Amino acid sequence: MIIPLILEYKTKGYEDMLVLRHKILREPLGLTFSEKDIEKDKGDILMALVLPKEQKMLACCIFTRVDEHTVKLRQMAVDREQQKSGLGTSMLSFAEYVAEREGFEKIVLNARKVAVAFYQKYDYKIIGEEFTEVGIPHFRMEKRIKMEKEKQQVVDEVLKYIDITLTPFGKPQRGVIDVEKRDPMYDGNGVVYMLSIFEKGELVNNRIGTYMVLLNKGDQAGFHEHGTKKEQELYVLVHGEGEYIERQGLDKITRKFNLKKGNVTSIQGDNNYHSIINTGDEPLIIFVVTTYEKA
Ligand SMILES: CC(C)(COP(=O)(O)OP(=O)(O)OC[C@H]1O[C@@H](n2cnc3c(N)ncnc32)[C@H](O)[C@@H]1OP(=O)(O)O)[C@@H](O)C(=O)NCCC(=O)NCCS
């Protein structure tokens, strides 16, 4: 039976790991381990998959702490005879489990170009240009494994009321990828959360399509305008109830409406401001679409 292990530095298990890393990652490139390389492993999280009875190590990888939120995955290797039989997947999912258990939110790595497709399969994203390391092409990749607690709680709360699933054409479906807390939002009362489903730059012309969530009664997206940015903005009320206020200039409130699920608002033009307040007992969930005005 294959078991996952956390290894101690400079033990028999660690020696086995060095042998595997040398065979799979160094030898093919004509490289060896220096004392400095070995010193670098000290204090890192050293992980492996082993067959205990046969005392054989099948796969390994390492985490180096980057900061309190992030770990760097490195030295991922599966024994040559065992590759492409699911061990890389098992090693990676054990590593992700360990990262989450240790309270980290993000895993970063420098992936060899030949292994990029493997990581992409498990939702790691390329985040930079190709570069050279140990003489071969690499890409920087990352995966967010957990949101901060408060952000996750907001997502969990919203998911009680609506199903957030984006279906981008030809790509895997996905849910919320980031949460931004606006405290306050344009001088409004309370707190507003923006739940992203699109990556930055994914929508044409860098336009915005995002969920805006006012969790509690009284939470408000404060007055703001879009004219100076030549934008038009739509609010599509997906859940809850709200008071929507239009204002002209800095102080002339012109209209107020009680809005509910299904209602849509639109704003554009100079000197036009809008604001919305949650007036219900449940979260007010709005899908916001911001586009450019015609040139
Ligand atoms: C890359 C590596 C860790 C993947 O481990 P593995 O055990 O071979 O991978 P798995 O069997 O779990 O593969 C899971 C899936 O990823 C795919 N995959 C694995 N390696 C791949 C690669 N290099 N490129 C593209 N897809 C790959 C598999 O085909 C499989 O897809 P499927 O489920 O559709 O069949 C392993 O092959 C390895 O150690 N390679 C040499 C060293 C290396 O490149 N390490 C990474 C350094 S960044």
Side-chain angles (χ1 to χ4, degrees), residues 24-25 75-79 82-90 109-112 114-119 121-122 138:
I24 303 300
L25 297 168
Q75 299 289 301
M76 170 73 138
V78 174
D79 204 1
Q82 316 280 341
Q83 286 175 12
K84 303 265 164 96
S85 59
L87 284 170
T89 305
S90 304
L109 72 134
N110 294 344
R112 293 178 176 199
V114 289
V116 161
F118 165 73
Y119 293 110
K121 239 180 132 55
Y122 301 105
H138 279 74

Side-chain angles (χ1 to χ4, degrees), residues 196-242:
S196 306
I197 48 171
F198 292 105
E199 305 279 358
K200 270 202 172 67
E202 192 175 349
L203 290 179
V204 282
N205 292 336
N206 259 337
R207 293 298 71 206
I208 300 163
T210 193
Y211 284 96
M212 180 166 85
V213 177
L214 293 73
L215 273 188
N216 301 302
K217 194 180 241 171
D219 283 344
Q220 177 186 21
F223 285 99
H224 61 284
E225 54 92 52
H226 294 272
T228 49
K229 291 185 263 178
K230 294 278 171 243
E231 288 173 346
Q232 180 174 31
E233 186 170 81
L234 310 180
Y235 284 172
V236 181
L237 269 74
V238 176
H239 184 85
E241 293 164 34

Side-chain angles (χ1 to χ4, degrees), residues 44-59:
D44 282 356
I45 304 176
L46 311 166
M47 293 162 282
L49 297 181
V50 296
L51 282 170
K53 236 163 98 195
E54 296 81 348
Q55 297 209 352
K56 190 171 166 42
M57 188 171 290
L58 302 174

Side-chain angles (χ1 to χ4, degrees), residues 61-74:
C61 66
I62 296 181
F63 274 144
T64 304
R65 187 181 186 278
V66 177
D67 59 37
E68 61 174 310
H69 306 292
T70 310
V71 271
K72 181 178 178 188
L73 180 73
R74 57 188 193 89

